[in-house]
Amino acid sequence: MYSAAENAAAAAAAAERTAFRGAEKRYKLYKTLPHRPKSRKRTTTGTKPTDLSDVVDFKAVLDGFAGGRDLPPGILRFDCDGFDRPVFCIEDRPGFFFIPSALTIEEQCYWIRESLATFPQPPNRANLTAIYGPIYGLFNAAQNQKVLIETEDTDTLVDHELNGSKSSPHSQKFLFAETSDVHRVETCKSIAALALLKKLRWSTLGLQFDWSKRNYDVSLPHNKIPDALCTLARKMAVPALPFGEDFHPEAAIVNYFGPSDMLGGHLDDMELDWTRPIVSISLGCKAIFLLGGKTREDVPIAMFLRSGDIVLMAGEARECFHGVPRIFTDDDHAEISAILSQFSAEDDRCYADYIRNSRININIRQVN
């Protein structure tokens, strides 16, 4: 008889041998060992080359379709009355829909701004909330090179003079301060706002998701999803809905990916009605998306996700394991030059610096 620890170890070892895990290892970012050239003092690192020949490229599919070429085997064009964008699906993954270049560059920049400046704002919760409590004005603080400090006295100087926000509750333990003013407050902990922004990994809109219990906690304070995001999600959800039925956005999870981040294979299975799609919006650097089957043993299909692409997953596709093993931040593969040109103004420098090596994914859901 095996102990619980031994059973867990055996299960973990088995998971490492699945087809899905094999695909994750194939496409993830591997850095080469540091190399110190004889002629220079600086240590250099690189990345191991990855074979991308089997990755489905829906941009190429769209361009080929527009040019009158046949679609690749297993890829189908989905005709949807009244929908004004090309939609593709995969023959053996019913309920999965891919809408390439669904958003204009201007729309992408708008949602990047919202994802960084607005969506992490309380009462929306983020991965940082458990550590620092509600954080107000994170992106603005990063733009202005402020520092988050821990202070024992939040009723006076910090709350009014340094944080500059009368709406911030006096019970806040962590507040932003000017770098030059940090010495004025007895502080236990401090971290630059810009460094904190780079640690942002998720935020939740609408009904708040409790990651520890893996369910939606209706008792947590929350605001409704912004009207503009609801409108966009309803419009884009149409191909995945039965004719005449509506999509009612109630929650969204915003994921933030840094250069080496990945999202392991998982199911989005906490919503009650799986006939309603998840509307997934990609922003920023290009990524690889893996769409598996109903078990981890099913060989996943790899595809590129570019900024402005939208994916819908409904019905049987909701039962498919999926994940993101890789984002591309190098100039040859990131494909964000058009976005960076829109963020060329001095006021947009912080957006440009962030998105040039990051990816944002907004997943909108109907919970009930």
Side-chain angles (χ1 to χ4, degrees), residues 149-223:
I149 62 172
E150 180 183 35
T151 175
E152 296 178 358
D153 181 12
T154 59
D155 289 339
T156 54
L157 177 64
V158 177
D159 192 40
H160 293 285
E161 290 187 22
L162 300 186
N163 204 48
S165 174
K166 293 183 180 180
S167 63
S168 301
H170 289 296
S171 60
Q172 262 186 278
K173 190 177 182 182
F174 290 87
L175 295 167
F176 288 115
E178 300 289 348
T179 304
S180 59
D181 289 331
V182 171
H183 69 279
R184 298 168 59 194
V185 181
E186 185 178 347
T187 179
C188 305
K189 235 184 240 185
S190 67
I191 181 172
L194 188 57
L196 202 61
L197 182 66
K198 293 179 181 179
K199 293 178 181 291
L200 183 65
R201 288 298 174 264
W202 56 263
S203 61
T204 48
L205 315 180
L207 293 175
Q208 297 292 289
F209 191 78
D210 187 330
W211 293 89
S212 63
K213 300 176 181 176
R214 294 203 76 246
N215 63 20
Y216 291 93
D217 189 342
V218 296
S219 68
L220 291 173
H222 63 275
N223 294 331

Side-chain angles (χ1 to χ4, degrees), residues 228-246:
L229 188 59
C230 284
T231 299
L232 175 62
R234 289 193 187 102
K235 179 180 179 180
M236 293 299 164
V238 168
L241 292 170
F243 181 76
E245 295 192 13
D246 293 327

Side-chain angles (χ1 to χ4, degrees), residues 263-281:
L263 182 63
H266 65 284
L267 297 174
D268 292 309
D269 55 2
M270 299 313 300
E271 292 75 35
L272 295 177
D273 186 357
W274 289 7
T275 66
R276 293 301 182 263
I278 289 178
V279 180
S280 179
I281 303 170

